[in-house]
Every structure is written in C-alpha cells, then in structure tokens.
C-alpha cells in the first residue's frame, strides 16, 4: 500500500463546475496535509495546507480532512481552464528531526474544458 | 527577490559520468531538500539537510551525494552508480521555525537526461 495514494486521472470537468480531488494515506499518526499544484514542466506551488478535521476554505479552494477515514480532499469551485494542472497531495512526517519532510502522492491530473 | 535558484535547467549525462546540480537559496531557510520526479509520478525525497554540515538520506539516496558547506547552497551530485538518472530534479527549502514548517519553497527544477 502506498503511503499517500491518489487517482492519477485525468479528471475532466467542464468550466464552472466543481472539481473534487481525493487522497488517502496509510499512516494514522499523520498530522499535516498539503496540496500542491504543478503545471507541466514547472515546479510545485503550495495551494492549501490543513491540520484539523473538517473544512478549510481559501477563495475557490476548500481542503477537507477526515482523520478517522484517513482521507483528504481538495475542492475547486468555479473551475477555470487555468486550473488545468497536476495536483499533488502530501503529508507531513511527524516526530523530531523531520521538519519539512513531505511524503507525496503520485498526483491527479485535472483538465478543465472550456 | 528572494527565492531558490537551480542550475542548469537542462543537463545531459554521459555513461559513467558524475554530474552536479546546483541549488542556491537566499530565503535564509535552514532546511533544504532534493526531490526526484519521474514522468507521471509524485516527488521522492533523495536527501535533506536541516543545518549546515549535516544531511540525511531520504528514500532514494543510492547513487547520489550532497554537501552542505554553506546555509545558502545544497548541491546534488548524480554519480555513475545511479543507473537510471533521467528525471526532473527539484530543490526545495523551508524555514525550521514558524508554521507550517513543511511549507516548501521549490526551485524551478533541472531536467537531467542520459545521452
């Protein structure tokens, strides 16, 4: 079982729709979760991070965390063609000496069609 | 402007050759990281360093080496022992203090290919 698992997609949604990206993880002790967006040939950029169960909203983006079920999701409202990219889910590693060390999923490719 | 600079953008390696990828940051971050990304895959950690003159192996360190002689610099050498080096290499840094500590700042990456 992969530590962080995502459906590689592609996930295709029409412009203006809600895109829902999902991620599951195997380590129950995981404390922090991150969503990065990566355009083709570019480096990842941080979109959202979440520590607590529930929802966290930032503009058109909402991150959802359910630690009991070990999943984290990213919702993108009013999807735009410019949102077309690969979305990487990552979890932080807990414990001393692991500052900044992230475990990434393989990413989900999102295609927003005009 | 503060940021992370990786060079070169593209690099070609011949059989049996060692090559070094440069990573410099002026963000005053203590921690630096090297990740490898294969096509259609996520990022895998090669090495990381939290302070000068100290570094730890990540999940796929075999065939790679690093040094951290200065806070600003964390070069990665891909040795001839790495038999499948073709990949996109990403350098990142993060502050040790503050929240979230795992907020990584990435360089623009180096695409390494084998001739």
């Amino acid at each position: 079982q992969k530590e962080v698992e995502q459906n590689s997609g592609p996930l295709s949604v029409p412009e203006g729709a809600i895109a829902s990206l999902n991620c599951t993880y195997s380590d129950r002790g995981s404390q922090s979760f991150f969503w990065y967006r990566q355009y083709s040939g570019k480096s990842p950029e941080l979109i959202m991070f979440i520590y607590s169960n529930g929802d966290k909203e930032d503009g058109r983006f909402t991150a959802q965390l359910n630690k009991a079920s070990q999943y984290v999701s990213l919702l993108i409202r009013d999807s735009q063609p410019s949102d077309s990219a690969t979305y990487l889910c990552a979890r932080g590693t807990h414990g001393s000496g692991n500052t900044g060390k992230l475990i990434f999923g393989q990413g989900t490719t999102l295609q927003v069609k005009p | 402007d503060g940021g992370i600079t990786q060079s070169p953008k593209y690099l070609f390696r011949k059989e049996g050759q060692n090559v070094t990828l440069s990573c410099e940051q002026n963000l005053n971050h203590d921690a630096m990281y090297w990740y490898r990304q294969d096509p259609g895959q996520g990022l895998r950690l090669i090495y990381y360093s939290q302070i000068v003159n100290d570094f730890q192996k990540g999940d796929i360190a075999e065939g790679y080496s690093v040094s951290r002689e200065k806070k600003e610099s964390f070069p990665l050498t891909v040795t001839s022992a790495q038999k499948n080096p073709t990949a996109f290499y990403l350098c990142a840094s993060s502050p040790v203090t503050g929240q979230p500590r795992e907020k990584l700042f990435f360089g623009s990456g180096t695409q390494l290919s084998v001739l």
Side-chain angles (χ1 to χ4, degrees):
Chain A
Q1 182 185 14
K2 293 181 181 177
E3 287 205 54
V4 178
E5 197 144 5
Q6 299 179 253
N7 187 324
S8 59
L11 172 66
S12 183
V13 300
E15 184 175 355
I18 296 175
S20 177
L21 304 159
N22 299 311
C23 172
T24 58
Y25 60 94
S26 57
D27 185 346
R28 282 195 170 274
S30 299
Q31 305 283 341
S32 55
F33 301 87
F34 300 79
W35 283 99
Y36 283 81
R37 177 176 63 198
Q38 186 178 27
Y39 293 111
S40 181
K42 303 296 184 183
S43 58
E45 55 180 321
L46 181 66
I47 300 175
M48 297 280 292
F49 60 90
I50 186 167
Y51 290 128
S52 304
N53 273 330
D55 295 359
K56 180 181 179 182
E57 188 174 316
D58 183 2
R60 296 188 297 114
F61 299 98
T62 299
Q64 299 175 317
L65 175 60
N66 184 322
K67 290 187 178 181
S69 301
Q70 295 175 247
Y71 83 77
V72 57
S73 62
L74 179 70
L75 302 178
I76 306 174
R77 289 182 298 282
D78 188 25
S79 295
Q80 301 297 309
S82 58
D83 294 326
S84 298
T86 296
Y87 290 80
L88 299 166
C89 172
R91 71 165 184 87
T93 53
H94 51 90
S96 62
N98 286 324
T99 300
K101 186 179 169 187
L102 296 179
I103 307 294
F104 285 84
Q106 71 269 37
T108 298
T109 298
L110 173 66
Q111 296 174 347
V112 181
K113 298 189 178 301
Chain B
D1 286 338
I4 301 178
T5 302
Q6 286 188 244
S7 62
K9 188 173 175 65
Y10 300 97
L11 186 58
F12 298 90
R13 194 190 87 166
K14 295 180 181 178
E15 193 85 26
Q17 186 182 38
N18 293 352
V19 293
T20 298
L21 285 61
S22 171
C23 179
E24 303 276 335
Q25 56 102 356
N26 60 5
L27 299 168
N28 200 32
H29 287 168
D30 290 292
M32 297 187 74
Y33 311 82
W34 276 104
Y35 283 89
R36 168 179 171 146
Q37 187 175 33
D38 292 280
Q41 301 296 314
L43 280 63
R44 292 184 291 168
L45 183 63
I46 305 173
Y47 269 98
Y48 64 105
S49 167
Q50 296 190 55
I51 56 173
V52 175
N53 293 322
D54 188 45
F55 47 83
Q56 288 78 40
K57 292 182 179 180
D59 301 316
I60 55 166
E62 187 174 348
Y64 300 97
S65 66
V66 294
S67 63
R68 187 86 187 276
E69 297 176 2
K70 298 186 301 181
K71 186 176 182 178
E72 302 79 17
S73 178
F74 192 41
L76 173 73
T77 296
V78 184
T79 75
S80 57
Q82 173 49 246
K83 297 306 179 187
N84 185 23
T86 297
F88 189 49
Y89 289 85
L90 287 158
C91 179
S93 70
S94 70
V96 173
T97 58
Q99 292 290 337
R101 288 176 294 173
E102 298 96 335
K103 183 176 181 179
L104 300 184
F105 293 77
F106 284 93
S108 56
T110 293
Q111 177 64 51
L112 176 61
S113 303
V114 177
L115 288 176

